[in-house]
Amino acid sequence: MRKKVLMPLFLILMLLAIPAYAQCPYEGRTVTLKAPAVSVTSTGELVGVPTDFIITVAPGSGHVYVETWPLTQVDMQASARLAAEVAGRVLGVDMSKYDVFIQVKADSPIIGGPSAGGTMTVGIIAAIMGWDIRKDVMMTGMINPDGSIGPVGGILEKASAAHQAGAKIFLIPEGQRIQVVTESKSRQIGPITQITTTQRKVDVVKYAQERWGLKVIEVKDIYDAVYYFTGHKLERPKPRTNVIINTSFLESEAKKDYKETEDYYNEIKRKLAESDVGYSTYSYLKAALDDASRTLKMAEDSLNQEKYYTAMSLDFQARIIIRHVDWYIDVYEGKDIDDIFSEVKDEIKSVENYVSNLTIKGVTMLQTVAASETRIEEAKEYLKEAEASYYNQDYWNAVGNAAYAYERAKTAELWAKLGEKFAGKTVISRDAIKKAARDQLDNAKLIVMYITSMFGEQNLKDLVDLLNKGEEYYEDGKYSAALFSAMEARIRGEVILDTIGIENVSVLKDKLSMMKEDAKNAIGLAQEGGTLPLLSIAYYEFAESYEAKGDLQDIITAMVFYQYAKETALVFQEWKVKVGNTSEVISSPIVTTTTTTSSTTTSTTTTTTTQLPSTSICGPGILLLLPLLALIRRR
């Protein structure tokens, strides 16, 4: 009788133990690191707080578990997941075969998880490889999907926390050595309190050395960070050959586009001369056409310099103006503006149907389809603006927004056709794009939440709107557009963090030079991987056109486009660690690596399999078994 009772009881208890057991690590490796974080005092002051990160990596099924004390913002989980993903890419290790357990302990509630992303990535890599961590090194910096260390806030406060924790070396993101500090002083003049606010620049390297003897070092990416923490060098991926970037693939389209725009300009110039518009309207429209003519001249110069994407962008700007004048003359002479709106709607619908029926083959086509989808959505938004302006009897802006919507739809068609022209052989599944879009949206949200926690959402409305737009694309099933909109939001957020308060052009040019080189390398790696990253190359050339202008805002715009070029080139590109003159998956003490070499070829095949050590039960799982053990003992 007892056997009949015990057996079902045993099965029930084992089933109850499974959820707890699933969250218990196998016999993996654990490393402990310290990282500085920022906490807010009761008076609203930001202070640095040393934080402990206890990271365990063990064979498992790809889960990332985070335990924090005290509780932190939800972005810590997203940052930990990204850290595990990047660690796997850097090492060439399949992280779906591992579980990562991260314990975060601080003395007070901390702000944001992104700034510890780099530290968590180092810890995961060290745990996988079995490397020791230097106890006198600390770091702050986000981890980006490409392995670079992204900018963060509160550098001075975090340097103070690193000193408190006994660090001798403090790693910060490259380019954040100079910090802008805002200071407020109050002075009482009778019944009036006068508050004076000033800003001054602080060299963190000099300040930390003089005040605490703390050595501050800027790091570019996770490869630099791993070296300072462990003494081990992982070679960062680089193109094997010199990278030459040009937009010659657009030459025929650019020349045709320019000729058509020039002909359209001449046609509307004659139309205006022959129209019945009054003197004031004529003068206004003539000035607009003169502006289009100057833009066309710039496009011609770009063609002569073989800057084909830049030329087409200038053609686009000119064509919006020309169509605006064209349609305004029509409305002035009695054409129903609803007919214009119908023409725009038909164009958008036609292009959208065409793009939605495309099968995405290869990363090149993914880029162009994403460009098409975002342009279609932008065209829809401008058409809504046109209709709203018409409702408010603002006919000038109604026609102008309609003209923009129409031309935007035309460029969407162009990019889609380029995608078909340069399509690859491998179909990228909709589910793969959906997953990549979700990951990018989560990463972008991580950055936006972090920035708004420091500077307020009301000051970053455009950034928040851009992220929300990506979410809308995702919900509408436009995953390519969502993927690239999320990427844009994240990049713009990073550039804001990286440039805020900096007005020195030479400092910005140094940052720009680094971004340009990174973008060039990313494009080269994509090309060597068999991808022609059309959108990346186009963005790179466009960034160069802004860089050439040299003004403060133009340099920041160039930064954004160089970052676009880099990130879009790396979409769906896998990384591998270089060992000697070959690329292979690196072996770690946690995994068993079997290498077989064919005697008839020079290729090497590396197969990585997970070696599962003996298991143990932890946490609530063992508690569930205690009553059963008692029963068995009694039996």
Side-chain angles (χ1 to χ4, degrees), residues 53 66 68 72-80 104 110 112-113 120 446:
F53 283 79
V66 179
T68 61
T72 64
Q73 296 175 357
V74 294
D75 55 8
M76 182 66 77
Q77 175 66 49
S79 187
V104 185
I110 60 176
M120 286 190 281
L446 191 68

Side-chain angles (χ1 to χ4, degrees), residues 15 35 52 161 163 246 492 576 594 619:
L15 288 171
D52 291 317
H163 165 65
N246 63 67
R492 287 190 178 275
K576 289 184 180 179
T594 306

Side-chain angles (χ1 to χ4, degrees), residues 247-354:
T247 51
S248 57
F249 61 88
L250 286 173
E251 182 177 0
S252 60
E253 285 85 358
K255 289 179 176 178
K256 179 185 176 185
D257 195 51
Y258 174 77
K259 182 66 170 60
E260 290 176 350
T261 307
E262 186 181 40
D263 290 346
Y264 188 28
Y265 166 79
N266 290 326
E267 177 192 341
I268 303 309
K269 185 179 179 182
R270 286 192 298 271
K271 181 176 179 177
L272 177 60
E274 296 167 1
S275 69
D276 295 328
V277 300
Y279 172 77
S280 296
T281 302
Y282 174 83
S283 300
Y284 202 72
L285 297 180
K286 175 68 166 55
L289 282 181
D290 289 344
D291 187 27
S293 178
R294 286 189 290 271
T295 305
L296 271 175
K297 180 63 174 65
M298 293 166 62
E300 183 182 27
D301 292 342
S302 295
L303 275 179
N304 293 334
Q305 297 167 20
E306 299 181 347
K307 303 287 187 182
Y308 298 117
Y309 178 73
T310 303
M312 293 178 74
S313 296
L314 291 165
D315 287 341
F316 168 67
Q317 294 171 33
R319 238 177 6 258
I320 294 169
I321 299 171
I322 298 165
R323 190 165 298 282
H324 191 172
V325 173
D326 180 12
W327 283 353
Y328 194 81
I329 294 170
D330 289 343
V331 171
Y332 187 90
E333 294 181 346
K335 184 174 182 177
D336 193 334
I337 200 168
D338 281 330
D339 292 339
I340 291 175
F341 291 163
S342 294
E343 185 177 350
V344 177
K345 286 176 185 176
D346 289 343
E347 181 63 29
I348 293 173
K349 185 177 180 181
S350 172
V351 176
E352 187 170 30
N353 288 338
Y354 162 52

